[in-house]
Amino acid sequence: MNHTIWSKPFYYAFAFFVASVSIYPILLMILSSFKTSAEIFTSPLAFPQSFSLDTYRNLLEMVPFMTYFTNSVIVSVVSVMLILVTSSLAAFYIARFTFVWNNMIFFFFLMGMMLPIKLGIVPLFILMKDLNLLNSLWSLIFMYVATGIPLSILILTGFFRTMPRELEEAARMDGAGNLRILWNVVLPLMRPALGTVMIIQFIQSWNDFFFPLIFITDDLKKTIPVGMLSLFGEYSADWGALFAGLTLASLPMMVLFFVASKQFMEGLTQGAIK
Amino acid sequence: MSHYNRTQGAENKKASTRTVSKTKKQRNWKRWTIHLFPIPALLIYGLFIVYPLFAALTYSFFDWKGIVRGEFVGLKNFKDLFTLQPFSDLFWNAFGHNILYFALQMVFQNGLAFLLAYVIYKKVRGSEFLKIAYFLPRLLSVIVVGFLWKLILNPNYGALNVILERLGLESLQKAWLGDPDTALIAIILVNCWYGLGFGVLIFLAGFQSIPQELLEAGRLDGANSFSMITRIIIPLMVPSIMIMTVLTFIQSFEAFELVYAMQGSQGEPYHSTDTLAVYFYRLAFGGSTGGATTAVGLGSALAVVLFLFIAFFTALYLKYMQKKQVDM
């Protein structure tokens, strides 16, 4: 196709300009985290004069960042594992067995992708209170599993349906039970789908701050995103530490992304299109 | 199910010797366990998603003292929400902001994403880099995005005003988040910054699914660029345009996190950045000003209205997706 309307240089320039707008704030965040507050105020755009880690030391003294970090890791890892277990069990059932209610169950789960659960937050708060889960990491884990299940089941069911049944039937002839078939035969073949689900759900649970905002008030039970909230409330003058906090909060996702950028991008779009 | 059981029963009856019936029973047990498989997912999802949403609906018909339920009041909460001051003004104020949220995101996030996806689709050099660059903000937590931009938009030390000054554009310097005229727009544009890469990927997937044969055929028929775009590319892009529109719609009407991170639960300044979800949070959990005056009944009524509003458009989306599946 010829480009009579836009000449190439124009849209090169345009695309790269937008790219720099996308990246620059993140770069600014990382660079600023190595500056003192005074340096940020006097020369906000310059490179840091020396890459000192003082701001990070200050930050770790001000807030229990390692506690937040540990909480975030526990919540995300446990949630993702539970999502994988519960969703693959349910998806296996939906995709491989044809009982009358299978489609109903499938639709019931699908509904969850469209329900704005934030609007049920008052009953949820009371429910968590009754279950004695307020200020417990379990409140978050249950929420992330519950919100993660619909999409995960959708993706896994789609994959199950594309897989040949022969292997399963062979295993069944050998007397293997359903659980064994799922675990030993089916799941090893499902690694790509499981990986997609894992990445989508990990991003969601790691970055969420709505549920901990409501359920967690105990400082030692906070995850990184709500920990940020109190950091900004209390130390709003120490910009160096604030930038360091933001950088640290984002670091794990950045590292994972540079290890597996393709899977991240494919995973998230698959989440939307499916 | 009934059919399944009947065959099992028949098989049992046929089993004559003791040993055979035992292995049959074992096999039946093994088969039966399959019905346990969806139960963990159903329980967690039912308890923490489906139940609260239905409960929220019933909450709206009761009077509430804090989080203690009072008497049944019918539709009073809904009536108050729409007729009692200041609630009704606040509702329509926030509703208008949600509409603006949606409109600006459609233009600045999705419009831009469409163009950029097209550029990447045309395989300019560095397209891999561009994809990653656009997507990068999406890795940050919304709260990080909010705080980062709050620092950048700070009127005294923030990078944006400094950059404007260096460019000799002092006249454009502003207290972006402190001015009721610009605060909401600033937040929405930050949201566009955050969501741009996601839109690019969705549209790119759309472009890439256009069959090459159709483009070749169009070219052979001597179609010019313009008619190629309007006659072939745009119609085939309708599915991805639909998806982005609906996702943006839902997201716009649920907008909470970014506003909360940047302007707190009061939608400062002067409710100029209030959205329905922020207003809902305030009604349900009280203001951030220390006074714990909650209005759970009103909040629940608002949740129901918002829920129905979103559900209506979501239903359209589901219907469309169903049709798409049939087509495939």
Side-chain angles (χ1 to χ4, degrees), chain A residues 2 12 15 108 114 175 178 207, chain B residues 30 45 125 134 141 225 314:
Chain A
N2 56 4
Y12 256 105
F108 181 66
M114 311 297 167
N178 292 312
N207 282 342
Chain B
K30 268 184 182 167
Y45 169 74
R125 220 165 289 153
Y134 300 145
S141 168
S225 300
T314 302

Side-chain angles (χ1 to χ4, degrees), chain B residues 3 19-20 39 54 72 74 87 131 155 171 185 194 247 263 287:
Chain B
H3 169 71
T19 47
V20 171
I39 288 178
F54 279 101
F72 182 84
F87 302 115
K131 245 188 339 191
S171 57
I185 292 170
Y194 181 62
L247 288 180
Q263 301 290 49

Side-chain angles (χ1 to χ4, degrees), chain B residues 88-98 270-275:
Chain B
S88 75
D89 275 359
L90 284 172
F91 176 87
W92 291 115
N93 173 50
F95 184 79
H97 295 161
N98 282 106
Y270 318 115
H271 301 305
S272 65
T273 58
D274 238 359
T275 61

Side-chain angles (χ1 to χ4, degrees), chain B:
Chain B
M1 168 69 185
S2 56
H3 169 71
Y4 177 73
N5 275 346
R6 235 178 286 137
T7 37
Q8 301 290 309
E11 272 173 3
N12 269 348
K13 267 176 219 155
K14 265 188 234 160
S16 48
T17 68
R18 212 188 148 85
T19 47
V20 171
S21 100
K22 197 180 168 199
T23 54
K24 286 274 179 192
K25 255 185 204 158
Q26 273 178 346
R27 201 173 298 162
N28 284 347
W29 164 249
K30 268 184 182 167
R31 288 210 180 155
W32 183 82
T33 54
I34 187 67
H35 294 295
L36 298 173
F37 279 30
I39 288 178
L42 280 173
L43 278 181
I44 296 182
Y45 169 74
L47 184 60
F48 294 103
I49 304 281
V50 180
Y51 159 74
L53 283 169
F54 279 101
L57 188 81
T58 62
Y59 282 18
S60 62
F61 298 119
F62 289 88
D63 192 27
W64 287 80
K65 308 241 174 329
I67 58 165
V68 179
R69 188 157 82 177
E71 59 191 283
F72 182 84
V73 293
L75 293 174
K76 183 174 177 293
N77 288 320
F78 291 92
K79 201 179 141 233
D80 288 353
L81 185 68
F82 288 109
T83 57
L84 199 67
Q85 291 302 342
F87 302 115
S88 75
D89 275 359
L90 284 172
F91 176 87
W92 291 115
N93 173 50
F95 184 79
H97 295 161
N98 282 106
I99 300 268
L100 188 67
Y101 220 104
F102 177 62
L104 290 187
Q105 269 196 294
M106 283 306 285
V107 175
F108 288 103
Q109 177 188 296
N110 300 347
L112 202 58
F114 192 89
L115 294 179
L116 294 168
Y118 186 71
V119 171
I120 293 178
Y121 172 64
K122 293 271 106 193
K123 296 224 167 40
V124 295
R125 220 165 289 153
S127 59
E128 274 310 305
F129 163 78
L130 289 176
K131 245 188 339 191
I132 289 177
Y134 300 145
F135 187 76
L136 225 43
R138 188 63 182 72
L139 295 172
L140 308 178
S141 168
V142 181
I143 194 110
V144 170
V145 172
F147 287 149
L148 172 59
W149 278 95
K150 214 173 148 170
L151 294 175
I152 292 175
L153 296 173
N154 182 289
N156 300 320
Y157 307 108
L160 183 64
N161 278 349
V162 175
I163 290 173
L164 288 174
E165 191 189 320
R166 299 279 163 83
L167 294 174
L169 297 168
E170 282 97 336
S171 57
L172 291 179
Q173 285 183 338
K174 255 184 174 307
W176 303 97
L177 295 174
D179 183 337
D181 291 336
T182 54
L184 181 64
I185 292 170
I187 293 174
I188 299 172
L189 290 180
V190 170
N191 209 341
C192 294
W193 175 80
Y194 181 62
L196 178 73
F198 180 71
V200 169
L201 292 181
I202 297 284
F203 288 130
L204 185 61
F207 281 123
Q208 282 166 348
S209 67
I210 296 175
Q212 285 300 314
E213 302 90 79
L214 282 180
L215 297 179
E216 303 267 325
R219 226 164 296 160
L220 287 176
D221 289 347
N224 60 21
S225 300
F226 183 73
S227 62
M228 287 281 278
I229 291 175
T230 53
R231 297 277 177 80
I232 301 177
I233 296 180
I234 300 269
L236 288 169
M237 285 299 285
V238 167
S240 17
I241 294 172
M242 271 290 281
I243 290 171
M244 272 316 284
T245 306
V246 176
L247 288 180
T248 307
F249 179 84
I250 294 176
Q251 197 226 320
S252 302
F253 275 84
E254 279 191 272
F256 171 82
E257 278 91 344
L258 198 60
V259 181
Y260 183 87
M262 294 176 78
Q263 301 290 49
S265 69
Q266 302 295 320
E268 281 155 13
Y270 318 115
H271 301 305
S272 65
T273 58
D274 238 359
T275 61
L276 287 174
V278 172
Y279 179 39
F280 162 66
Y281 172 86
R282 210 160 56 232
L283 287 173
F285 293 99
S288 61
T289 46
T293 45
T294 63
V296 170
L298 275 176
S300 301
L302 174 58
V304 171
V305 171
L306 192 49
F307 176 80
L308 292 178
F309 192 71
I310 295 175
F312 175 74
F313 286 91
T314 302
L316 287 184
Y317 175 65
L318 271 180
K319 208 174 159 195
Y320 160 77
M321 290 307 277
Q322 241 173 2
K323 201 174 137 234
K324 189 181 157 216
Q325 272 188 335
V326 172
D327 289 346
M328 280 160 67

